[in-house]
Amino acid sequence: MILKKATLFIAVVFAAGLLAAAANAADVTVIVNPSVSESSLTANTLESIYLGKTVRWGSGQEIAPATMTGTPAHEAFLDAYVKKSTSQFSTFWKKMVFTGQGFPPKNFDAETGMVAFVAATPGAIGYVPAGTDTGNARVLQITP
């Protein structure tokens, strides 16, 4: 009986975690420059882009990722797709820069700057709060 209750508890906690991640993912919209040929990405590929592991689109075009630190959208994006806290993400990129292994994504503090950068920069990818006017940037679908 105790084992059944423990198993049920673990299942409920796991399901709650999945729902929280899905809710966070719904809080942001991933956008790309119109030059990007991809119409969707897996969540794993998106994570790989933001951790500097994937640096080129399928066409060979260089990826130009952008972030919006200090915003609720940034926290939701990292939680849902990169699986790191804000401080873990910052520490990760400090180490990458210090060891000469890469440069962090370009950073913005507002949606307008993010949308303008993504719309104007070939190969760019970013995110904005759901419902934000994405202008000339194209919305990218993210699949599990």
Side-chain angles (χ1 to χ4, degrees):
M1 181 72 165
I2 292 174
L3 184 57
K4 285 184 181 180
K5 287 183 180 181
T7 304
L8 179 61
F9 176 75
I10 291 170
V12 168
V13 169
F14 180 73
L18 289 177
L19 288 174
N24 284 342
D27 292 343
V28 294
T29 299
V30 178
I31 57 175
V32 293
N33 181 272
S35 69
V36 174
S37 59
E38 283 81 349
S39 60
S40 67
L41 289 179
T42 66
N44 286 339
T45 301
L46 188 58
E47 175 185 14
S48 182
I49 289 170
Y50 276 87
L51 294 179
K53 296 174 185 172
T54 300
V55 297
R56 295 199 176 276
W57 294 108
S59 66
Q61 179 182 41
E62 190 171 335
I63 299 173
T67 59
M68 282 196 314
T69 57
T71 66
H74 182 64
E75 292 177 21
F77 177 81
L78 291 180
D79 185 50
Y81 298 118
V82 185
K83 300 174 191 81
K84 291 192 180 296
S85 69
T86 302
S87 63
Q88 289 170 327
F89 186 71
S90 176
T91 299
F92 170 84
W93 276 108
K94 285 177 185 175
K95 287 179 183 176
M96 293 291 283
V97 170
F98 182 75
T99 59
Q101 296 179 38
F103 295 98
K106 186 159 180 64
N107 186 54
F108 296 92
D109 58 4
E111 295 87 5
T112 54
M114 173 70 85
V115 170
F117 171 78
V118 171
T121 307
I125 184 170
Y127 53 86
V128 292
T132 300
D133 179 4
T134 60
N136 291 330
R138 191 168 48 80
V139 173
L140 190 68
Q141 298 300 314
I142 307 302
T143 60

